[in-house]
Amino acid sequence: MNIGITCYPTYGGSGVVATELGKALAKRGHKIHFISYAMPMRLNRYDDNIFYHEVEFSSYPVFDFPLYTPALTSKMVEVAKSEKLDIIHAHYAIPHAISGYLAKQILKHDNVKLITTLHGTDITLVGLEPSFLPVMKFSIEESDGVTAVSRFLKEKTLTNYNIQKEIKVIPNFVDTHEYKRREDACRKHRLAPNGEKVLMHTSNFRAVKRVSDVIKIFEIIQQKVPSVLVLIGDGPDRSNCELVARELGIYNSIKFLGKQAELPELLSCADLFLMPSQSESFGLSALEAMACEVPVISSSVGGLPELVAHNQTGYIAEIGDIERMAKYAVELLTNETKRAQFAHAGRKRAEEEFNLDKIVSEYENYYTEVLEKVSV
Ligand code: GMT
């Protein structure tokens, strides 16, 4: 198949899923055309079946803001025609599904199909704003196929937007050959010079991630267990988090690493992964940690209970229940037998339920199903 993929090329989970999906589909012989305003962050090596089409948009002085949606639409139309696309796969509905719908209307006789994958904040946050809601509902209903990354997000979409359409749940995935524990590669002594336990968190440091909770949980843990906290990623909440760490007097026990490329090596140093999000439709970072044999302690929101098996691969607690999350963490950090059991169970779950081959096949089968649907 010839597939156009549009996503945010940035650090967030939706762009990672879209890019890794495209790379895997290319390996299976499909022609993959990424269409975005910048090269997707993880598109890092040449492949005969992968092509990148950059969306150019001029900012004419009359406009107070760049008009990305029409520019993206035009590029989608251009690529669909020149590359005879079978599918346009829009990852994150705003504004990608809107551009996809407009492109379909312009391409009317080319019979290209639009598939929209809902990732989270497009539904639970941004899409609910009055300025987006009607367009969100319309572009979902007009897509030829819609997937969501968790049962939670599917239900949220059906109820929040009063959608009658069938939505296919296809969860996030991880390459368990790339994301696996490599004790030798991690050089743990650099992060924990005195043999401390290593706690870790990865995110784009937006308020929804509650990274300050991670720091407050760590503050309780480090009173009971010699430990260090490694924070990976960057974003609008980072400065506030550094302030919280200084105010709690634990700044020197925390490493703010910023954005990092070699995640598997770093995750291989971790003894525990914390994800206390306010909202999380799946939790790709937690899955990546599990694949590297790191138990996860998370909040009980969104799709996280579909990923973290409570008291098997980690623990789940209410949003903001810092004391309980810290208690769970100390329990695991002071019982290596139990922690190792959780770690192995998490790896097994990643391999069995969320491995790349299994989930990419689900997307591939869904593409075929949508293409075979008779256009009414
Ligand atoms: O996690 C983020 O804030 C980035 C966001 C995105 O849209 O890039 O991630 C969403 O998509 C990921 C991939 O499907 C999911 O694993 C994340 O749970 C989801 N984020 C939220 O729902 C907050």
Side-chain angles (χ1 to χ4, degrees):
M1 289 181 247
N2 298 331
I3 303 160
I5 293 184
T6 283
C7 64
Y8 283 109
T10 48
Y11 197 69
S14 60
V16 168
V17 167
T19 309
E20 296 301 340
L21 172 61
K23 287 157 68 175
L25 289 167
K27 283 205 180 84
R28 294 185 180 199
H30 301 288
K31 297 291 183 194
I32 303 301
H33 295 269
F34 285 97
I35 306 169
S36 184
Y37 61 84
M39 176 89 88
M41 195 239 334
R42 290 220 186 165
L43 202 54
N44 44 23
R45 66 172 66 90
Y46 172 77
D47 183 299
D48 294 341
N49 288 333
I50 293 179
F51 308 88
Y52 167 60
H53 308 265
E54 191 153 296
V55 179
E56 308 278 346
F57 45 108
S58 54
S59 51
Y60 185 58
V62 171
F63 305 148
D64 281 345
F65 41 80
L67 290 173
Y68 184 54
T69 303
L72 175 60
T73 301
S74 303
K75 184 58 79 174
M76 284 175 167
V77 169
E78 176 196 321
V79 174
K81 282 184 172 168
S82 63
E83 306 301 337
K84 296 182 177 45
L85 294 185
D86 300 297
I87 288 169
I88 292 174
H89 191 170
H91 285 263
Y92 201 90
I94 300 172
H96 304 138
I98 302 156
S99 292
Y101 169 73
L102 291 173
K104 255 180 70 73
Q105 297 313 304
I106 298 166
L107 290 160
K108 206 175 281 301
H109 305 299
D110 290 54
N111 202 24
V112 69
K113 300 290 185 191
L114 171 62
I115 291 177
T116 296
T117 288
L118 306 170
H119 282 272
T121 48
D122 43 355
I123 291 295
T124 60
L125 222 59
V126 184
L128 287 174
E129 288 173 25
S131 50
F132 286 116
L133 200 146
V135 165
M136 270 291 286
K137 176 177 167 67
F138 179 77
S139 54
I140 291 169
E141 285 173 339
E142 292 300 316
S143 295
D144 297 295
V146 182
T147 82
V149 296
S150 62
R151 292 190 300 277
F152 157 81
L153 193 61
K154 169 180 175 176
E155 292 315 315
K156 204 79 178 161
T157 306
L158 295 174
T159 48
N160 279 7
Y161 298 84
N162 188 23
I163 302 277
Q164 309 310 320
K165 195 182 191 68
E166 175 51 35
I167 295 177
K168 173 89 172 164
V169 175
I170 304 183
N172 286 178
F173 58 90
V174 64
D175 181 343
T176 50
H177 300 297
E178 183 190 353
Y179 280 79
K180 62 184 178 186
R181 200 157 186 90
R182 302 182 195 145
E183 300 286 0
D184 58 315
C186 90
R187 290 170 290 168
K188 194 168 183 173
H189 62 279
R190 293 186 316 157
L191 297 172
N194 306 310
E196 300 93 332
K197 297 294 184 187
V198 176
L199 292 110
M200 204 166 274
H201 169 84
T202 304
S203 77
N204 51 23
F205 279 67
R206 293 189 329 212
V208 73
K209 301 297 181 179
R210 296 178 70 102
V211 185
S212 53
D213 278 11
V214 174
I215 295 169
K216 291 169 189 166
I217 293 164
F218 172 64
E219 196 275 333
I220 298 171
I221 295 167
Q222 56 94 38
Q223 293 175 29
K224 302 183 170 83
V225 179
S227 46
V228 296
L229 172 62
V230 177
L231 295 175
I232 301 168
D234 208 330
D237 204 26
R238 176 173 173 174
S239 304
N240 172 55
C241 290
E242 294 191 2
L243 186 62
V244 168
R246 292 186 198 285
E247 285 169 350
L248 291 173
I250 53 172
Y251 185 80
N252 293 332
S253 304
I254 299 174
K255 293 194 182 308
F256 286 86
L257 297 186
K259 291 179 182 177
Q260 294 291 325
E262 299 308 318
L263 280 183
E265 281 70 20
L266 281 165
L267 287 168
S268 293
C269 298
D271 295 298
L272 209 52
F273 189 87
L274 300 174
M275 179 171 263
S277 306
Q278 180 81 22
S279 165
E280 198 69 65
S281 295
F282 183 86
L284 179 60
S285 305
L287 173 57
E288 291 172 342
M290 288 165 65
C292 292
E293 299 184 56
V294 187
V296 173
I297 292 177
S298 80
S299 50
S300 57
V301 295
L304 284 167
E306 298 172 46
L307 172 63
V308 179
H310 184 68
N311 200 27
Q312 292 173 51
T313 69
Y315 288 112
I316 289 175
E318 287 303 308
I319 303 173
D321 194 343
I322 289 162
E323 288 70 25
R324 181 174 295 275
M325 290 182 192
K327 172 182 157 297
Y328 283 145
V330 170
E331 186 181 317
L332 286 181
L333 293 173
T334 53
N335 182 340
E336 182 52 26
T337 305
K338 188 169 192 176
R339 197 204 66 78
Q341 274 169 359
F342 278 36
H344 299 320
R347 168 71 190 182
K348 189 162 180 281
R349 185 161 170 73
E351 286 173 337
E352 291 176 353
E353 301 299 326
F354 305 104
N355 77 75
L356 180 146
D357 290 337
K358 175 177 185 285
I359 304 303
V360 170
S361 295
E362 289 185 25
Y363 274 111
E364 210 174 21
N365 295 338
Y366 187 63
Y367 289 162
T368 304
E369 185 185 316
V370 169
L371 287 175
E372 286 172 354
K373 250 190 248 173
V374 176
S375 304
V376 290

